[in-house]
Amino acid sequence: MSNVVIVFNAGSSSLKFTIFKIEKKSIIIKLIKGRIEYDNETFHFLASDHNDQLITQNTFSTKNKEPLEYLFSWLSEHEQGTHHIVGVGHRIVHGGADFVDPVRVTPELLKQLESLTPFAPLHQPQTLAPVHAITKYRPQLPQIVCFDTAFHRSIPDIAQLLPLPRRYGEKGVRRYGFHGLSYDFLSQRLQLIDPELANGRTILAHLGSGASLCALKHGKSFETTMGFSTLDGLMMGSRCGMIDPGALLYMIKEENADWETLVNTLYHQSGLLGVSGISTDMRVLRERLITEADPAIRKHVQQALSLSAYRIVEEIGALAAVMEGIDGLVFTAGIGEHDAELRQTICLALGWLGLKLDTDANQKNAAIISSPGSTIRVRVEPTHEELIICQNVLPFIQSAL
């Protein structure tokens, strides 16, 4: 019987899972990847094999089946009882000031993590939900939580401060940074494939529906664009990114905006969607730019695309300044790995720094897209947050392997 670890990554309307087989106590092999999508009173279950070929797709009523109970029973039936679940890993969006290292779940720990909900009210409850569910269904199963904020604890103390009255800092209101598990994976990956960039001054660009940059210096996070919340920094699919607080005061004063209105506007109606008026999806916007007949709509779409690139270039400049230079740039996540046009726009804008783009390599999404004469090496590298989580689970379950 094979030992397996299940890794969960919870979102607002879906729960992604990856099932890894563990061999010889440390060899990790991906078996299955899937997601559970929630829709009112139903949930959709999808699973693919290690070659990303769909093997199961079902829809159930939540009145008749509990999603996680179904996942465990499906795994047992699909694999005909050949796998023994020895541990579960979770991505938790916020670890606050106290949690840096992965930790095993206990009732007291759950209370502590729930107390951090005011720091991430839209995300913390979602990432804790599967932890609570498994605690109920499989109380003896070891659960390990890993924190998206942990990787950035190495940034200088001065960069963690917010220029607010000190009472807020004493309550934990400070800059934390996010996407840490993705950046942790990339930093380890670079040590294997490009130690020079791993130990130099490299900017990691995690560009997806959520987006941020990390200044990696000597292998550690030196600065990042997200701060107290996942709203800060870059313009995103539906999130505004960095914004003048005066705009929020305007909404409150002139539109009587309450907390829910602000949340809906800043998290769900802004970014690419807000500026374009069309979509949060970069692919949809690029297609619309070609097919749209209305010049006014085309203008709005172009503005959304241009503003997104502009903000990335602007923040790269800021990170290069605090690192006192830049040796490398790494694109990752859905947009970073696949949008050659965005990468080209960004790289051409950084030409004054000595960055020279290999346009053919870029169009092919090659691993290295800078030309040999470039002073900045530019890479495209897939991220793998789930693998990092699984690695962090292993030390806690060695006795069971």
Side-chain angles (χ1 to χ4, degrees):
M1 182 173 289
S2 300
N3 294 318
V4 299
V5 168
I6 304 179
V7 170
F8 290 103
N9 188 343
S12 58
S13 59
S14 67
L15 176 63
K16 299 177 184 177
F17 63 87
T18 306
I19 301 171
F20 296 97
K21 181 168 69 171
I22 312 301
E23 292 187 347
K24 298 180 180 179
K25 294 193 174 185
S26 61
I27 299 175
I28 301 173
I29 301 171
K30 186 178 80 169
L31 287 179
I32 297 168
K33 187 169 186 176
R35 66 186 185 274
I36 299 170
E37 299 176 347
Y38 304 100
D39 182 17
N40 296 323
E41 295 183 349
T42 63
F43 69 90
H44 311 283
F45 181 90
L46 301 95
S48 303
D49 63 17
H50 64 283
N51 291 317
D52 295 326
Q53 297 298 310
L54 185 67
I55 53 178
T56 300
Q57 182 174 358
N58 290 310
T59 298
F60 300 100
S61 168
T62 53
K63 294 180 180 179
N64 300 323
K65 293 182 182 292
E66 292 289 343
L68 288 181
E69 281 188 311
Y70 175 75
L71 168 61
F72 283 105
S73 63
W74 174 86
L75 179 62
S76 178
E77 293 172 6
H78 177 75
E79 300 297 328
Q80 299 180 338
T82 59
H83 292 147
H84 172 51
I85 303 170
V86 292
V88 174
H90 299 270
R91 167 187 166 266
I92 303 299
V93 71
H94 218 298
D98 297 326
F99 295 103
V100 178
D101 299 319
V103 61
R104 183 167 177 169
V105 172
T106 65
E108 179 58 32
L109 174 72
L110 275 176
K111 291 179 181 178
Q112 290 176 279
L113 296 181
E114 287 171 345
S115 72
L116 297 173
T117 296
F119 292 168
L122 301 188
H123 297 91
Q124 193 77 347
Q126 295 165 356
T127 55
L128 288 176
V131 184
H132 283 292
I134 294 171
T135 299
K136 175 182 176 182
Y137 304 141
R138 300 282 186 100
Q140 302 306 315
L141 189 61
Q143 295 191 78
I144 313 304
V145 290
C146 305
F147 304 101
D148 228 10
T149 50
F151 188 71
H152 301 296
R153 290 302 303 275
S154 57
I155 69 176
D157 290 343
I158 195 67
Q160 297 182 36
L161 293 177
L162 288 173
L164 294 170
R166 298 202 70 90
R167 66 180 183 273
Y168 290 103
E170 293 166 359
K171 293 179 179 179
V173 179
R174 37 149 284 202
R175 298 184 67 243
Y176 290 96
F178 299 88
H179 291 138
L181 294 169
S182 175
Y183 294 134
D184 191 0
F185 172 82
L186 290 174
S187 68
Q188 294 186 35
R189 177 66 176 158
L190 286 176
Q191 288 288 355
L192 294 175
I193 64 172
D194 200 331
E196 186 178 1
L197 290 193
N199 299 305
R201 299 165 300 180
T202 299
I203 293 175
L204 310 177
H206 180 107
L207 306 179
S209 57
S212 70
L213 305 176
C214 172
L216 189 73
K217 189 174 184 181
H218 305 315
K220 296 183 178 181
S221 177
F222 189 72
E223 181 56 282
T224 186
T225 54
M226 282 183 172
F228 173 68
S229 76
T230 58
L231 277 178
D232 201 8
L234 304 179
M235 171 181 169
M236 300 170 235
S238 63
R239 290 178 239 166
C240 59
M242 182 179 67
I243 189 170
D244 182 349
L248 311 186
L249 297 178
Y250 170 86
M251 296 177 195
I252 295 170
K253 180 70 165 59
E254 298 300 322
E255 299 180 346
N256 295 317
D258 56 13
W259 186 85
E260 290 185 355
T261 300
L262 290 176
V263 165
N264 195 37
T265 300
L266 303 180
Y267 276 98
H268 306 303
Q269 297 179 350
S270 298
L272 291 173
L273 175 62
V275 177
S276 71
I278 301 294
S279 176
T280 64
D281 193 318
M282 192 79 77
R283 296 165 297 183
V284 172
L285 296 182
R286 294 209 183 281
E287 179 66 24
R288 194 65 176 269
L289 197 60
I290 298 171
T291 61
E292 179 57 53
D294 188 329
I297 295 177
R298 280 205 313 275
K299 179 181 179 181
H300 293 163
V301 171
Q302 183 61 67
Q303 285 179 332
L305 296 171
S306 298
L307 182 56
S308 174
Y310 178 87
R311 287 288 300 119
I312 294 169
V313 171
E314 185 179 18
E315 293 291 343
I316 287 175
L319 295 183
V322 298
M323 285 197 299
E324 300 180 344
I326 173 174
D327 304 309
L329 173 62
V330 180
F331 291 98
T332 194
I335 296 173
E337 294 170 34
H338 301 109
D339 195 322
E341 188 169 345
L342 176 64
R343 294 196 304 260
Q344 177 171 309
T345 301
I346 294 167
C347 290
L348 292 179
L350 298 173
W352 65 278
L353 286 171
L355 193 161
K356 296 180 181 179
L357 180 70
D358 183 330
T359 54
D360 289 337
N362 182 49
Q363 287 298 321
K364 296 174 182 176
N365 298 323
I368 297 178
I369 61 173
S370 51
S371 64
S374 178
T375 60
I376 299 171
R377 187 151 58 250
V378 184
R379 305 190 70 105
V380 178
E381 189 67 29
T383 190
H384 203 334
E385 296 162 298
E386 292 79 11
L387 180 59
I388 282 291
I389 295 172
C390 188
Q391 289 175 350
N392 287 329
V393 170
L394 294 188
F396 293 87
I397 60 170
Q398 285 299 307
S399 61
L401 298 177

